[in-house]
Amino acid sequence: MHSARQRLLDILASAFLAVLTGALLTATSTIIRGVVLNPCPIVSDVRVSSTSALYRVRSSALLSSTAPDASAYYLPVNGIDAHSEATTRLPSNIEIVDTADSPEDNHEDLRRKALQRANIPRGFSLGIRTTERVSLFLSGTVDFSPCWDWNTKAIYVSFIARFSSKSVVQNDVTILDAVLRPVSLPAQLAQLAEKRRQERRAASSRSDTEKTSAVKGPVATPLLTNAERQQLADFERTLRSDNHDHPSLYIDHIDKRIVLKDSFKYYVDAFDDISLGGNTVEVVLRYQVMSYSGWAPLREDVLGHQVKIKVSANAVPWEPYKPGFGLKS
């Protein structure tokens, strides 16, 4: 009996040691690959293809220098405790609304201020925040296949709009994000995917030839039929996450590419001051590889001059404006 129990313990210990050794080897090989090869995505002509007008957005805001959930609207002065009302100041793009009655108020003003006082929680003030907003649309292709290996679980990708302002040295605003996920292809679809890769390589080679020699190269013969393309497209549709993947992005989970075509997901807002007008916004690629053994360091790629855009200095009102709290529009 003792011998059987001892053998069982030996087997469990050996199994645990094997799992631990495998995990250590996996993590070590991933780190060594990252250090030695330093894989980077292949960025192809990523650019700001268009921009919206510069909008000025006005919205109501509840303000408190003491309530934790609202104290972010106040900025500390000289590093003193931000929860001390005497040592805080408002960001420059917020103005406090006067809700006290005055002799000059007409009947409509008195009614509006009474409504405001009735709706504002105790200890709070009512303010109007003015935010400048612009939309950036990106086009181009980013190929993450060099960053993907057998130990990769996912790659988290985001495009960051970066600009400086009066109150913050560096503002980083996410304008697009995506997640590349692993795919298990049936044999037939794997063959179709390989044919599509060959078509892309041929098209890329033809494009390079035309750029260097100014002579049109031969048109590549299609390797896929329309039915086969539709079969691949139907399979890729099942890979989409409707809750996260934005329709303006084509996320190629099979070949680990992100294709941008006037893609836009989130607004660029100057939240703490009015600083976008006439400012220069740069788009940065940020990504992080998640392996089965953990996270790799967060990486950034500066995409070059094509993703630097100077925002118009003239702002137009954002419509519709819904002030709330009885504020005038």
Side-chain angles (χ1 to χ4, degrees):
M1 185 68 180
H2 175 74
S3 178
R5 185 164 54 247
Q6 186 62 43
R7 282 199 299 271
L8 178 61
L9 291 175
D10 291 342
I11 292 172
L12 292 176
S14 299
F16 175 76
L17 184 61
V19 171
L20 182 61
T21 303
L24 289 175
L25 288 175
T26 298
T28 303
S29 64
T30 301
I31 294 172
I32 292 175
R33 177 182 182 272
V35 171
V36 175
L37 299 180
N38 191 25
C40 296
I42 301 171
V43 179
S44 301
D45 193 29
V46 173
R47 63 197 182 280
V48 177
S49 49
S50 63
T51 65
S52 71
L54 175 65
Y55 294 104
R56 187 155 289 176
V57 185
R58 286 166 52 85
S59 58
S60 56
L62 287 175
L63 309 172
S64 172
S65 59
T66 56
D69 293 338
S71 59
Y73 292 133
Y74 283 80
L75 302 178
V77 176
N78 298 327
I80 306 175
D81 183 8
H83 294 283
S84 174
E85 189 170 3
T87 60
T88 55
R89 60 184 174 86
L90 280 172
S92 59
N93 63 330
I94 293 183
E95 56 182 297
I96 294 180
V97 177
D98 184 9
T99 59
D101 295 336
S102 67
E104 295 80 12
D105 290 341
N106 57 33
H107 177 72
E108 178 62 26
D109 291 333
L110 293 173
R111 189 189 68 82
R112 174 171 49 82
K113 289 183 177 180
L115 177 63
Q116 291 170 352
R117 291 193 297 269
N119 285 281
I120 298 173
R122 183 183 297 274
F124 284 78
S125 300
L126 180 60
I128 298 178
R129 176 189 293 277
T130 301
T131 304
E132 289 189 333
R133 169 178 294 174
V134 70
S135 301
L136 303 183
F137 299 86
L138 300 181
S139 294
T141 304
V142 185
D143 182 1
F144 282 92
S145 59
C147 305
W148 195 281
D149 63 13
W150 60 273
N151 190 33
T152 304
K153 187 175 183 180
I155 299 179
Y156 293 81
V157 184
S158 57
F159 292 88
I160 308 297
R162 178 170 292 169
F163 60 96
S164 60
S165 64
K166 299 173 184 176
S167 59
V168 182
V169 175
Q170 179 175 297
N171 295 274
D172 284 354
V173 181
T174 300
I175 56 176
L176 276 169
D177 56 8
V179 181
L180 289 165
R181 295 179 288 272
V183 176
S184 179
L185 281 175
Q188 182 183 4
L189 289 178
Q191 294 175 359
L192 299 183
E194 179 57 34
K195 289 182 180 180
R196 187 173 65 178
R197 292 187 199 102
Q198 294 175 14
E199 287 184 345
R200 287 174 179 164
R201 285 194 290 266
S204 176
S205 176
R206 179 173 181 264
S207 176
D208 292 341
T209 301
E210 292 176 355
K211 288 179 181 178
T212 55
S213 63
V215 177
K216 287 191 175 182
V219 178
T221 304
L223 301 179
L224 292 173
T225 65
N226 291 336
E228 289 172 334
R229 292 184 199 282
Q230 187 60 46
Q231 189 177 355
L232 265 178
D234 291 341
F235 177 77
E236 288 183 315
R237 199 171 293 115
T238 65
L239 303 176
R240 288 191 61 85
S241 170
D242 293 334
N243 294 328
H244 187 273
D245 296 346
H246 198 264
S248 68
L249 286 171
Y250 169 51
I251 305 175
D252 185 351
H253 295 287
I254 296 176
D255 290 330
K256 313 309 176 195
R257 302 184 316 139
I258 294 178
V259 180
L260 312 166
K261 189 174 182 181
D262 285 333
S263 300
F264 155 79
K265 190 174 182 180
Y266 305 113
Y267 297 112
V268 180
D269 285 345
F271 194 71
D272 289 323
D273 53 36
I274 303 172
S275 57
L276 269 178
N279 205 340
T280 298
V281 179
E282 180 181 17
V283 179
V284 176
L285 172 64
R286 181 180 292 171
Y287 62 96
Q288 189 168 25
V289 178
M290 180 183 182
S291 68
Y292 288 96
S293 53
W295 290 93
L298 187 68
R299 296 187 177 185
E300 283 189 358
D301 279 356
V302 177
L303 298 175
H305 70 281
Q306 293 189 101
V307 290
K308 285 187 178 181
I309 186 74
K310 187 164 185 178
V311 180
S312 169
N314 300 318
V316 297
W318 176 267
E319 298 293 347
Y321 169 48
K322 298 180 180 179
F325 291 100
L327 290 174
K328 291 182 178 180
S329 58

